Amino acid sequence: MENNAQLIAQCEAEAKKWLSPAFDEETRKEVQAMLDNDDKSALIDAFYQNLEFGTGGLRGIMGAGTNRMNKYIVGMATQGFANYILKAFPGKQCSVVVGHDCRNNGRMFAETVADIFSANGIKVYLFESLRPTPEISFAIRQLGCQAGVNVTASHNPREYNGYKAYWDDGAQVLAPHDKGIIDEVNKVTIDDVKFQGNKDLIIPIGGEMDWDYIQAVKEAMVDQDVILRQKDLNIVYSPMHGTGRVIIPMALRSWGFQNIHVVPEQMVIDGNFPTVVSPNPENAEAMTLGMKLGTKLNADLVIASDPDADRLAIVCRNAKGEWEILNGNQTCMMFSWYIIANKKKLGQLKGNEFLVKTIVTTEVIAEIAKKNQVEYKDCYTGFKWIANEIRVNEGVKKYIGGGEESFGFLPYDKVRDKDSPAAICLICEIAAWARDNGMTLCDLLMHIYKEYG
């Protein structure tokens, strides 16, 4: 009981700091309500610790408090990140890309981030509205920026939001920058944050970058002829209320697919994700509406992207004609097999190519690579390590694909994070190839198992 009283007292002391004029009226009211409530559980949860800025950035439940995602915690993180960027690139006019997904408060957080960077003299390319995570990564490289931020909590439940920090190669930050940023963030107090933005340094971006990104995505294509032969492949797609809604159908059309259907209820931008329990492509439940429409339209496959469109889910028909959801290992394996087998057949392999997988991803990929004399690399879990392999081999070896078991794949090197627009276009090409050869994707999977175990 004494420990509990001590914890409540500590949280009350922290909460009372949030009643100062440094915080807006709405925040002060929310904190006061927690202080006034006899049940102190909400107060404790909101103030018992600081929401930690980790190697990937921030992620937490939205609301007032030190352990919550709100504009003040986002503000202190951004001020620390800005301080580190200015130290890392002394004397340079630094620039960053800022984006967000469909989550509640996403736009407000992104504008807060843009204001703080600009107040620190850093030029900001701010996406005009929600965009996929891989497009943020692409834009950092395309615009020659020193860093970037995407406001997203990926596939987490609706109560969450987050903040992903990127470095100048378009990848999430690695050592020594991760520790350096964390150290700077930990030094910042609310009084240090420059919230008043410099509008002259904030440049809106949108349609032109979408065009450049979609053109880049086409570099993941292996065999356009097979797409042209199977251009009527019957595709059902869902963005799960998120950022893939415009980009992915547009990208599919640019590849030559002409029979694309979308799940209308899930095309609605909504951070409350009303049609799913959780917007996670790993959960079969999230694919229910897509499969229902796929059955109605007699589709060849059903695909979805998560809210920030870095990960994908694939549903195909098995031998009985029933829908079967592929898992992340199967997805990654199929991509790897197709890229190697068909680039080899088309004479596109020059001998300096390599694939990457994380250490927890199926070893069948290693077997496929070895049997076809293609180099493969294992790396730590997390896509930033795949991005690191691309970076250290750039100009020496040609990256042709990499992925992990958690439904993420990157089939080209113009982006340095998981990329569902490119992966979805490529899986549709693979489905087209399979159909061209009298198979479904599930049949192809069995074919790969027979050959490689």
Side-chain angles (χ1 to χ4, degrees):
M1 287 297 288
E2 190 180 332
N3 285 345
N4 199 35
Q6 201 175 355
L7 179 60
I8 291 169
Q10 174 199 318
C11 292
E12 284 177 336
E14 278 300 318
K16 282 170 184 172
K17 294 176 188 174
W18 283 56
L19 300 177
S20 81
F23 299 88
D24 63 35
E25 187 181 352
E26 190 182 339
T27 299
R28 295 200 301 268
K29 277 183 182 173
E30 192 178 335
V31 172
Q32 190 64 60
M34 286 188 249
L35 284 164
D36 293 342
N37 195 331
D38 292 337
D39 180 353
K40 298 299 180 189
S41 54
L43 176 78
I44 291 168
D45 203 38
F47 285 98
Y48 82 97
Q49 65 172 12
N50 292 332
L51 188 65
E52 189 179 352
F53 192 96
T55 54
L58 293 167
R59 189 172 292 178
I61 292 170
M62 290 177 276
T66 57
N67 188 38
R68 292 281 183 262
M69 273 291 291
N70 52 67
K71 71 179 180 183
Y72 302 105
I73 298 302
V74 166
M76 288 188 280
T78 306
Q79 184 63 54
F81 193 9
N83 293 347
Y84 183 78
I85 292 167
L86 295 171
K87 277 186 179 177
F89 300 97
K92 187 177 179 73
Q93 171 57 69
C94 293
S95 60
V96 297
V97 171
V98 176
H100 64 92
D101 69 9
C102 61
R103 287 184 179 266
N104 296 332
N105 298 314
R107 186 68 194 172
M108 182 269 285
F109 289 150
E111 288 175 348
T112 300
V113 170
D115 283 343
I116 293 164
F117 277 132
S118 67
N120 283 275
I122 296 170
K123 186 190 287 187
V124 181
Y125 294 99
L126 175 63
F127 272 100
E128 63 191 4
S129 63
L130 72 170
R131 287 301 190 281
T133 287
E135 189 174 353
I136 311 302
S137 172
F138 173 79
I140 292 166
R141 297 173 61 77
Q142 185 78 349
L143 295 166
C145 295
Q146 282 64 55
V149 167
N150 195 26
V151 176
T152 173
S154 189
H155 53 281
N156 279 61
R158 60 180 66 86
E159 297 83 9
Y160 284 77
N161 212 325
Y163 179 113
K164 286 183 182 174
Y166 289 84
W167 204 239
D168 61 352
D169 62 344
Q172 289 188 57
V173 289
L174 282 171
H177 307 302
D178 51 2
K179 188 178 182 304
I181 295 166
I182 290 165
D183 288 347
E184 288 295 332
V185 170
N186 289 341
K187 290 178 197 170
V188 172
T189 68
I190 194 67
D191 296 326
D192 299 324
V193 183
K194 299 175 182 175
F195 281 107
Q196 197 60 49
N198 176 355
K199 299 302 177 195
D200 294 338
L201 287 178
I202 301 175
I203 299 149
I205 57 172
E208 288 183 12
M209 189 58 66
D210 295 342
W211 170 259
D212 290 345
Y213 172 58
I214 286 169
Q215 292 304 110
V217 164
K218 286 169 85 170
E219 293 187 23
M221 188 187 297
V222 178
D223 184 358
Q224 187 158 36
D225 288 344
V226 80
I227 297 170
L228 295 174
R229 287 195 297 274
Q230 300 291 344
K231 61 180 182 283
D232 65 335
L233 185 79
N234 195 346
I235 301 162
V236 166
Y237 165 69
S238 169
M240 299 218 183
H241 302 286
T243 60
R245 59 188 291 278
V246 174
I247 294 290
I248 289 172
M250 205 186 298
L252 284 165
R253 286 190 196 97
S254 79
W255 279 46
F257 293 105
Q258 295 180 5
N259 193 12
I260 304 154
H261 308 273
V262 295
V263 179
E265 303 94 325
Q266 295 179 332
M267 287 291 280
V268 177
I269 298 168
D270 194 333
N272 292 318
F273 309 113
T275 63
V276 293
V277 175
S278 178
N280 186 345
E282 291 183 62
N283 297 343
E285 173 273 329
M287 301 301 292
T288 305
L289 279 177
M291 289 188 285
K292 190 176 169 186
L293 183 61
T295 299
K296 182 182 172 186
L297 298 174
N298 195 28
D300 292 299
L301 76 164
V302 177
I303 42 179
S305 51
D306 67 346
D308 68 321
D310 61 349
R311 304 194 312 155
L312 76 157
I314 305 161
V315 190
C316 56
R317 293 189 184 277
N318 62 22
K320 296 176 184 173
E322 298 162 342
W323 290 119
E324 189 167 314
I325 300 172
L326 301 184
N327 66 39
N329 276 317
Q330 292 169 327
T331 302
C332 198
M333 182 177 72
M334 196 179 288
F335 279 127
S336 302
W337 178 87
Y338 180 81
I339 289 167
I340 290 175
N342 285 279
K343 280 183 177 286
K344 190 175 180 181
K345 191 173 76 177
L346 294 166
Q348 295 174 8
L349 295 181
K350 309 299 179 197
N352 66 336
E353 293 83 7
F354 71 99
L355 273 173
V356 191
K357 73 174 191 68
T358 61
I359 53 175
V360 294
T361 305
T362 174
E363 289 300 314
V364 179
I365 292 168
E367 292 305 312
I368 293 167
K370 283 176 195 168
K371 193 168 178 180
N372 291 282
Q373 290 85 50
V374 171
E375 185 180 359
Y376 92 95
K377 297 172 183 290
D378 263 331
C379 65
Y380 294 129
T381 305
F383 226 87
K384 61 187 178 182
W385 296 106
I386 294 176
N388 186 57
E389 289 292 344
I390 305 173
R391 185 179 60 80
V392 298
N393 288 285
E394 205 163 14
V396 182
K397 295 175 182 176
K398 174 71 176 167
Y399 170 85
I400 56 170
E404 55 188 2
E405 90 301 340
S406 59
F407 290 66
F409 198 84
L410 176 66
Y412 66 141
D413 66 358
K414 288 293 177 72
V415 165
R416 298 299 162 87
D417 208 340
K418 300 180 286 288
D419 189 324
S420 80
I424 282 172
C425 288
L426 186 58
I427 202 66
C428 289
E429 179 185 325
I430 297 170
W433 181 90
R435 196 168 82 160
D436 212 38
N437 286 274
M439 292 187 281
T440 66
L441 281 179
C442 285
D443 295 334
L444 175 57
L445 190 62
M446 293 305 118
H447 170 79
I448 297 168
Y449 283 145
K450 281 176 189 169
E451 189 173 354
Y452 294 97

